[in-house]
């Protein structure tokens, strides 16, 4: 690198999805020079979340997305109908009956570009088609270097943000990638035309008896998103032998019919290819270090069953931007270690919610326990309301860890 000169930007964000774009918007509005490096030259469907709680809408407003854009990208979902393998069903309303708003199904083909456009309006530079191959500490005061495939020179930044998903190059370069907490799972997701007006409609989460569950969520544009999680070696062998299309068709055929459901999601025209993710989930040893941090799924993702991925991504963007802004303005007293404020904030915000998510997933792994919990949620309004508020991030998750709540959920 003899003789090489680089103009140092304040922040380079690797990944232009929800978390990366929101982080860029926050920091650009605060007056920092931000560049977003997005590998896709144009938006395309990748396996990702579309269902989110009312709290995600509040975070999008906080990030600066205007009401008109929100109306275009989100479809109201009054409740999530959860169905057990034995047919017990209950509706989680996420606080809608108390004025907390409704859950939503997002059109990611509209949401993601809207957030990137918002970041650009705020002053961030977006570079589509920039595939980052590695990140390394700079030499001679160049900051952290971000090497892009096909480019002669790297981008140099004071802070690098990894918003590049479960297989984050930033996390890998920092040496913080760990094995997923729940290995051996595969996620498959796609959209289907349902021909129904974009009014409010329940979503469904159907748990099957052999290590699979399926989420069906209405999204804008007269479509539904279908997301399937398969767990265990038997399902991996089926996928390898039969392929994704045949495997998912066979699984959908096993989902019970509901009165009044047109069921276009079962036989309708697919509007995009089935996108997959395996292993499903990610884990990092820490979320921040000297000159870098990770947000969104790059900061850890457990499982889509609880529908918290988008909300967590947006919260991580806000918390990361606050820590970076304080660091760049020199208002922390610990040098680069000041970015650890982000790590502490994320731990404080989501430690209890992570325990609740693990609790729910442990129920799924033990069918008799899940059936008992489902029966109590169906029978008791108070328990069901609390679970909906916790899953919707509308009350502290610690409420679901209260011994009295757990006794009502799991008792005889």
């Amino acid at each position: 690198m003899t003789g090489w000169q680089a103009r140092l930007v304040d922040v380079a964000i690797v990944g232009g999805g929800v978390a990366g774009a929101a982080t860029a918007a926050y920091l650009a509005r605060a007056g920092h020079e931000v560049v977003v490096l997005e590998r896709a030259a144009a938006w395309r469907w990748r396996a990702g979340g579309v269902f989110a709680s009312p709290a995600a809408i509040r975070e999008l407003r906080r990030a600066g997305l205007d009401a008109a854009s929100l109306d275009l990208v989100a479809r109201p979902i009054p409740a999530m109908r959860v169905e057990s393998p034995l047919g017990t069903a209950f509706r989680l309303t996420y606080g809608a009956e108390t004025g907390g708003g409704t859950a939503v199904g997002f059109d990611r083909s509209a949401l993601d570009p809207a957030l990137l456009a918002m970041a650009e309006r705020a002053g961030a530079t977006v570079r589509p088609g920039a595939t980052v191959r590695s990140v390394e500490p700079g030499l001679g005061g160049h900051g952290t270097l971000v090497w892009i495939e096909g480019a002669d020179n790297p981008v140099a930044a004071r802070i690098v943000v990894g918003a590049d998903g479960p297989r984050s190059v930033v996390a890998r370069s920092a040496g913080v990638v760990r094995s997923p907490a729940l290995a051996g799972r595969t996620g498959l997701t796609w959209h289907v035309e349902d021909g129904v007006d974009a009014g409010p409609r329940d979503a469904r989460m159907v748990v099957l008896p052999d290590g699979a569950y399926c989420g069906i969520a209405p999204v804008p544009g007269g479509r539904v998103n279908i997301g399937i999680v398969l767990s265990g070696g038997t399902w991996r062998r089926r996928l390898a032998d039969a392929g994704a299309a045949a495997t998912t068709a066979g699984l959908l055929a096993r989902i019970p019919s509901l009165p009044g459901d047109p069921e276009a999601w079962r036989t309708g025209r697919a509007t995009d290819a089935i996108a997959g993710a395996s292993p499903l989930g990610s884990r990092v040893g820490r979320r921040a270090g000297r000159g870098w941090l990770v947000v969104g799924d790059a900061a850890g993702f457990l499982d889509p069953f609880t529908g918290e991925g988008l909300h967590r991504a947006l919260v991580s963007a806000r918390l990361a931007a606050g820590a970076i802004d304080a660091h760049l303005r020199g208002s922390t007293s610990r040098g680069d270690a000041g970015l650890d404020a982000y790590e502490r904030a994320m731990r404080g915000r989501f430690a209890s919610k992570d325990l609740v998510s693990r609790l729910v997933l442990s129920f799924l792994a033990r069918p008799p326990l899940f059936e008992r919990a489902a029966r109590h949620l169906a029978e008791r309004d108070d328990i069901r309301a609390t679970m909906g508020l916790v899953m919707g991030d509308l009350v502290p998750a610690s409420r679901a860890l209260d011994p009295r709540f757990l006794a009502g959920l799991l008792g005889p």
Side-chain angles (χ1 to χ4, degrees):
M1 297 200 315
T2 304
W4 174 73
Q5 297 292 323
R7 184 174 62 84
L8 191 66
V9 301
D10 292 326
V11 184
I13 298 176
V14 182
V18 169
T23 305
Y26 278 120
L27 289 169
R29 281 194 211 102
H32 302 295
E33 186 177 8
V34 181
V35 59
V36 180
L37 306 171
E38 167 53 45
R39 66 177 179 175
W43 187 91
R44 64 181 178 84
W45 171 244
R46 296 194 291 254
V50 302
F51 176 84
S53 72
I57 291 291
R58 290 208 294 265
E59 286 293 335
L60 283 169
R61 291 192 185 105
R62 192 168 185 172
L65 199 63
D66 60 272
S69 296
L70 281 170
D71 288 342
L72 290 174
V73 304
R75 180 173 175 178
I77 295 178
M80 171 69 79
R81 176 187 166 93
V82 182
E83 303 166 39
S84 79
L86 295 182
T88 302
F90 58 90
R91 294 174 77 245
L92 290 180
T93 58
Y94 300 92
E97 69 279 5
T98 60
T102 67
V104 295
F106 282 116
D107 177 359
R108 294 294 298 269
S109 70
L111 174 64
D112 294 25
L115 289 173
L116 271 181
M118 181 183 74
E120 286 190 297
R121 289 194 301 273
T125 299
V126 177
R127 290 179 55 180
T131 299
V132 173
R133 70 172 189 265
S134 66
V135 176
E136 63 177 312
L139 302 174
H142 287 304
T144 298
L145 307 182
V146 183
W147 294 90
I148 301 170
E149 289 183 4
D152 293 332
N153 293 325
V155 173
R158 296 170 68 186
I159 302 293
V160 172
V161 177
D164 45 345
R167 293 164 186 78
S168 170
V169 173
V170 176
R172 188 168 65 246
S173 296
V176 297
V177 175
R178 303 293 183 265
S179 298
L182 298 171
R185 297 172 306 149
T186 299
L188 302 168
T189 182
W190 70 103
H191 294 83
V192 175
E193 288 181 343
D194 71 352
V196 178
D197 292 339
R201 226 174 115 198
D202 281 3
R204 292 178 71 182
M205 181 66 75
V206 184
V207 181
L208 297 172
D210 50 2
Y213 60 84
C214 177
I216 304 166
V219 299
R223 297 173 299 150
V224 293
N225 175 264
I226 302 174
I228 292 174
V229 173
L230 307 172
S231 179
T234 300
W235 279 112
R236 286 197 298 274
R237 288 189 292 273
R238 289 183 195 176
L239 278 173
D241 294 341
T247 300
T248 55
L251 188 146
L252 292 182
R254 296 166 51 197
I255 295 177
S257 297
L258 292 179
D261 186 347
E263 294 197 345
W265 54 265
R266 200 190 297 270
T267 58
R269 184 184 73 86
T271 62
D272 41 45
I274 297 173
S278 183
L280 186 63
S282 63
R283 188 165 66 96
V284 292
R286 55 195 172 99
R287 301 180 183 95
R290 189 173 183 85
W292 65 271
L293 50 75
V294 287
V295 297
D297 288 353
F301 178 68
L302 185 61
D303 187 271
F305 188 88
T306 53
E308 63 183 28
L310 284 168
H311 174 255
R312 183 183 293 240
L314 291 163
V315 172
S316 72
R318 173 167 53 83
L319 297 178
I324 293 169
D325 180 56
H327 169 76
L328 292 176
R329 293 182 186 282
S331 58
T332 60
S333 60
R334 302 174 60 205
D336 284 331
L339 294 179
D340 288 342
Y342 166 66
E343 174 75 42
R344 294 191 299 272
M346 285 290 288
R347 191 183 304 122
R349 178 64 180 79
F350 290 109
S352 294
K353 185 66 180 291
D354 286 344
L355 287 175
V356 174
S357 297
R358 289 177 182 274
L359 184 67
V360 171
L361 293 174
S362 71
F363 294 171
L364 286 175
R366 297 166 178 82
L369 192 61
F370 182 77
E371 186 63 35
R372 179 185 299 176
R375 189 177 71 249
H376 291 167
L377 285 164
E379 294 171 349
R380 292 190 53 178
D381 294 346
D382 57 337
I383 295 176
R384 187 171 61 253
T386 297
M387 181 60 80
L389 291 170
V390 168
M391 290 294 98
D393 294 292
L394 299 173
V395 299
S398 56
R399 288 199 188 180
L401 301 174
D402 186 289
R404 291 166 296 182
F405 175 82
L406 293 174
L409 182 65
L410 300 175

